């Protein structure tokens, strides 16, 4: 399949958080498929104890059940209670290369109060578990899955750089330096096994 920016765009979902039936915030995520299985990947830090998560499927809210969470690497795998109709599942393939310094990447998400947006970037630093990209993000972008230029998953948006300056007592947000948690441990086989175990526990 030839990579197109339509892949991150059409698979991007706004993840809504509710607590005691009150909307308390949002993040982003992406909808994937492996064979007949459908699942959503987002950031683990979106979770609050006793909070409910939903995917906004063009104003229809679809409940998301937690399948798996990796707090250390800020990764969560969710299963929609029903198929999403307007957010489209794309084939899940990952980039497993250790050194991806300098490659071009793209992601789509819902930063702050903006509508669905798409952003390009470049990997400026990398390790086995995380990369930093020169791109753009704001709170609300968290959980957006980052793709390489072959349509393979690199990771997901996890955090932004925050630093203090001597001339200001307040920390400054660097919207153009984005931290990405890598998903290279979660290949197709690993995801299939995670989903299988979750089904067996239900």
């Amino acid at each position: 399949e030839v990579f197109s920016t339509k892949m991150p765009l059409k698979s991007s979902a706004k993840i809504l958080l509710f607590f005691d039936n009150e909307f308390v915030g949002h993040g982003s995520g992406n909808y994937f498929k492996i064979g007949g299985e459908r699942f959503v990947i987002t950031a683990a830090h979106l979770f609050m104890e006793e909070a409910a998560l939903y995917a906004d499927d063009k104003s229809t809210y679809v409940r998301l059940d937690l399948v798996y969470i990796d707090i250390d690497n800020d990764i969560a795998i969710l299963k929609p209670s029903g198929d999403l109709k307007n957010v489209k599942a794309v084939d899940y393939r990952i980039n497993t290369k250790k050194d991806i310094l300098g490659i071009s990447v793209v992601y789509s998400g819902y930063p702050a109060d903006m509508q669905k947006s798409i952003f390009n970037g470049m990997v400026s630093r990398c390790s086995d578990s995380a990369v930093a990209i020169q791109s753009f993000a704001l709170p609300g972008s968290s959980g957006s899955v980052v793709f390489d230029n072959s349509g393979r998953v690199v990771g997901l948006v996890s955090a932004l750089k925050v630093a203090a300056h001597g001339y200001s007592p307040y920390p400054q947000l660097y919207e153009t330096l984005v931290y990405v948690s890598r998903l290279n441990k979660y290949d197709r086989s690993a995801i299939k096994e995670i989903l299988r175990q979750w089904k067996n526990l239900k």
Side-chain angles (χ1 to χ4, degrees):
E1 183 178 5
V2 177
F3 177 70
S4 166
T5 53
K6 290 181 180 178
M7 289 180 67
L9 272 173
K10 70 182 183 180
S11 65
S12 178
K14 191 172 188 178
I15 309 297
L16 308 173
L17 286 79
F18 288 84
F19 185 77
D20 284 342
N21 295 318
E22 295 288 331
F23 174 70
V24 294
H26 82 274
S28 302
N30 287 73
Y31 192 33
F32 291 100
K33 62 183 178 181
I34 297 176
E37 293 286 358
R38 302 288 188 271
F39 58 96
V40 171
I41 293 180
T42 189
H45 75 256
L46 295 182
F47 285 85
M48 298 167 50
E49 190 172 353
E50 298 182 9
L53 269 67
Y54 293 82
D56 185 352
D57 191 29
K58 196 174 276 189
S59 298
T60 298
Y61 296 168
V62 178
R63 175 69 183 254
L64 297 169
D65 295 319
L66 178 63
V67 172
Y68 176 89
I69 191 163
D70 178 348
I71 297 292
D72 291 339
N73 294 299
D74 199 21
I75 294 163
I77 299 170
L78 314 172
K79 188 78 173 172
S81 58
D83 285 341
L84 306 183
K85 295 180 172 58
N86 297 289
V87 181
K88 302 300 183 183
V90 297
D91 194 41
Y92 182 76
R93 299 180 298 125
I94 65 166
N95 183 322
T96 57
K97 293 181 179 178
K98 288 187 176 182
D99 185 4
I100 56 171
L101 195 64
I103 71 165
S104 297
V105 292
V106 61
Y107 80 90
S108 178
Y110 295 82
D113 58 354
M114 296 168 64
Q115 296 298 313
K116 184 189 291 187
S117 306
I118 192 162
F119 303 98
N120 292 307
M122 183 189 74
V123 174
S124 57
R125 193 175 73 204
C126 71
S127 70
D128 289 346
S129 61
V131 300
I133 62 173
Q134 294 175 353
S135 186
F136 177 85
L138 285 171
S141 301
S142 292
S144 301
V145 174
V146 177
F147 295 80
D148 68 14
N149 57 12
S150 296
R152 297 169 300 185
V153 169
V154 171
L156 61 83
V157 174
S158 179
L160 296 172
K161 181 176 175 59
V162 178
H165 292 283
Y167 55 81
S168 171
Y170 304 106
Q172 179 178 345
L173 192 67
Y174 288 82
E175 301 96 338
T176 57
L177 184 57
V178 183
Y179 293 114
V180 173
S181 296
R182 293 208 69 179
L183 279 154
N184 49 354
K185 291 194 303 183
Y186 298 98
D187 60 12
R188 289 172 68 92
S189 296
I191 297 287
K192 287 167 72 174
E193 180 60 19
I194 287 168
L195 293 171
R196 186 191 68 78
Q197 291 185 17
W198 175 76
K199 282 183 176 180
N200 288 341
L201 291 172
K202 286 186 68 180

